[in-house]
Amino acid sequence: MTTIDNRLVIIVRADPVICGHSVEARNLAETALERGFDEVRIVTWPIDVLERAGLPLKPLDSVLPYSDGIIVERPAPVGDYKVPDGRHLAGITGRLVELFTDGVPTVCLSLYLSPHTIAASDAVRAALGTGLPVNVTTIAEAVGSDVTNVVRTAVEEGRLGAAAHILTSYLSQDYCVAVSDYTRQLIISEAERVDAQHGTRFAEQCRAKITVSYPAIDADAYLDLDDGVLGEVLASRGLERDGYVLFLSRLTHAKGVEELIEGFERSGVHADKTLVIAGRGPQADAFRAAAAASGVSSRIRFLDDVGDAEKPYLMKGCAAFVLPSKPRPEFVETFGIALAEKMLAGGGPIITTLTGGIGEAIGDHAIVVPVEDPDAIARALVGAIVETTADERNEWAARAREYALQFDRRVVFDRMFEPMVRRGVAVR
């Protein structure tokens, strides 16, 4: 029997969910094996639960396999049908308790404070309560929607308990990180609102404890893409290099798809370019209807089956990549993982907004337009496609790639784990 000397546990909404942080979990897991962890376990939700939640999911046959040494666990629910919402969380929390008390030194990373960090916090408390030896170091990564969709709602409704549950669980972890400085400041500002309402002292603790850890991207998957494979991938979709404008993200109102469709029509680039809208999401039908009503409907295509291996090539082959995100009550773009991936892949210029943390993702390497402004998108498309030379586009792409290399999974992993390495908790 193989002895396990160290383990990384990651709690996340794992693949096949279409979400940058699901992919980030995969990237951190793969890097952990390279850096000397004997075993990585991703603890997540059963597929049927993810489907019922309405989350956008990749086709299961398009999800790339994990390396040997990475085990994906989807614990079964605990209890009977009378407690449907808590049964699956009980299964995840219970499994964490088992992993924390089996004698293996463990680092536990939770992505999303609610419910994953809450589960980690409860599991540590329960593990210690067993009286068994516990050797676990915890990291909690706040991705933004934890605050915009949960804490902010609790504050606005005057519900101290819900806000306190999340913030105390977060702050109880050994290391607290946020995916961007925007996210860190957002957490602090909402904590200040809780403090102002209830006389608590969360903001002070958040300022002292939260650091920034940008999302981990597998740069290897986007660099040095073979032109021959690129041609084959595009031909299989009926596309040509530089012959299309690409949107690739979740299909939700916060991503600005309606404005992109209008801007594409007004730009005139549809004369010889196709707009490809790739992704899945709850507003897919609404966007298809908007495209069908457009005067250039014949030049708009939707792809809902793009796999992990195909995505980099679609990014590299496009004439321009557009992600005109806009702030919404339910979601604000707290980083922009797809933008960093696109910069690594190369290809045509990026057109985006400065919503949330996008500025940290792109630096000075994108064409920035105001939110909800189809005319600005139209002008940007003309500038990116018609008014720039091939040499200018290549130079722009090279600078963008250099900037985005700071988000490579190995760089991010090493920065995140450096404090633990110094303490002898983690290996490298």
Side-chain angles (χ1 to χ4, degrees):
M1 182 175 179
T2 302
T3 301
I4 301 172
D5 293 322
N6 48 50
R7 171 196 294 139
L8 174 63
V9 173
I10 303 176
I11 320 166
V12 71
R13 295 185 320 210
D15 276 349
V17 177
I18 298 175
C19 168
H21 301 292
S22 296
V23 178
E24 180 187 8
R26 170 190 288 271
N27 294 336
L28 291 171
E30 297 285 351
T31 308
L33 294 181
E34 295 178 9
R35 293 299 191 251
F37 279 86
D38 297 324
E39 177 184 274
V40 180
R41 290 182 181 265
I42 296 177
V43 181
T44 185
W45 304 83
I47 297 295
D48 63 317
V49 174
L50 297 175
E51 291 174 337
R52 289 199 301 272
L55 292 166
L57 305 182
K58 303 173 187 175
L60 291 176
D61 59 3
S62 74
V63 177
L64 295 175
Y66 290 89
S67 295
D68 292 340
I70 299 175
I71 302 164
V72 178
E73 296 196 40
R74 303 180 185 274
V78 175
D80 62 24
Y81 68 94
K82 296 177 183 177
V83 283
D85 292 334
R87 293 185 306 141
H88 292 282
L89 190 58
I92 287 176
T93 305
R95 182 59 184 135
L96 293 174
V97 173
E98 294 165 357
L99 291 170
F100 295 169
T101 56
D102 69 358
V104 176
T106 296
V107 176
C108 176
L109 168 63
S110 54
L111 286 77
Y112 293 101
L113 305 184
S114 178
H116 301 143
T117 299
I118 291 173
S121 177
D122 290 346
V124 169
R125 184 169 57 252
L128 293 171
T130 66
L132 296 170
V134 175
N135 185 350
V136 59
T137 300
T138 54
I139 313 170
E141 180 173 293
V143 303
S145 56
D146 302 309
V147 180
T148 58
N149 198 28
V150 182
V151 176
R152 181 174 290 174
T153 299
V155 172
E156 291 173 351
E157 296 177 357
R159 300 171 65 182
L160 170 64
H165 191 200
I166 294 175
L167 290 172
T168 55
S169 296
Y170 185 32
L171 292 166
S172 73
Q173 306 297 286
D174 295 307
Y175 299 93
C176 300
V177 301
V179 295
S180 62
D181 187 62
Y182 168 82
T183 303
R184 180 179 181 273
Q185 297 302 328
L186 179 65
I187 296 168
I188 292 170
S189 66
E190 292 303 317
E192 288 174 339
R193 294 178 65 193
V194 175
D195 293 347
Q197 287 185 14
H198 302 286
T200 51
R201 298 179 60 186
F202 289 120
E204 177 184 332
Q205 299 173 71
C206 289
R207 286 192 196 92
K209 193 161 187 178
I210 301 172
T211 60
V212 174
S213 178
Y214 290 122
I217 298 172
D218 183 13
D220 294 351
Y222 295 88
L223 300 175
D224 302 320
L225 299 176
D226 184 89
D227 283 343
V229 176
L230 172 62
E232 293 173 3
V233 169
L234 297 185
S236 71
R237 293 290 191 177
L239 299 171
E240 296 181 356
R241 189 167 188 171
D242 293 329
Y244 60 98
V245 174
L246 179 64
F247 168 95
L248 196 158
S249 189
R250 286 180 293 117
L251 300 185
T252 65
H253 288 306
K255 300 294 184 175
V257 178
E258 299 103 323
E259 290 82 4
L260 172 56
I261 291 171
E262 291 181 39
F264 178 72
E265 180 175 1
R266 297 177 192 180
S267 71
V269 301
H270 50 74
D272 63 350
K273 299 289 186 287
T274 298
L275 173 59
V276 175
I277 300 173
R280 295 184 176 190
Q283 274 74 58
D285 289 342
F287 297 154
R288 288 178 182 272
S294 167
V296 292
S297 58
S298 64
R299 305 294 295 175
I300 302 175
R301 291 182 55 189
F302 284 80
L303 303 179
D304 62 3
D305 59 346
V306 175
D308 294 334
E310 183 181 18
K311 180 170 71 169
Y313 291 96
L314 288 177
M315 289 178 164
K316 182 176 182 178
C318 69
F321 183 90
V322 190
L323 182 65
S325 293
K326 54 188 177 182
R328 297 270 300 185
E330 72 279 5
F331 178 82
V332 177
E333 200 84 60
T334 52
F335 180 73
I337 292 175
L339 297 168
E341 291 172 337
K342 170 64 180 66
M343 289 193 291
L344 290 167
I350 290 171
I351 300 168
T352 189
T353 65
L354 287 181
T355 301
I358 284 179
E360 295 173 68
I362 61 173
D364 298 325
H365 307 290
I367 300 171
V368 175
V369 297
V371 298
E372 299 183 305
D373 193 336
D375 287 331
I377 293 173
R379 291 191 295 271
L381 284 169
V382 172
I385 296 173
V386 179
E387 297 177 350
T388 58
T389 66
D391 287 343
E392 289 172 332
R393 290 156 61 88
N394 290 336
E395 183 180 348
W396 195 337
R399 291 197 306 267
R401 179 181 292 112
E402 187 65 27
Y403 177 85
L405 285 171
Q406 67 179 302
F407 309 125
D408 177 61
R409 61 186 176 93
R410 298 175 184 90
V411 175
V412 172
F413 184 95
D414 289 346
R415 287 175 178 167
M416 180 185 290
F417 281 79
E418 181 59 35
M420 283 163 278
V421 172
R422 290 199 304 265
R423 292 176 50 208
V425 173
V427 297
R428 183 182 299 169

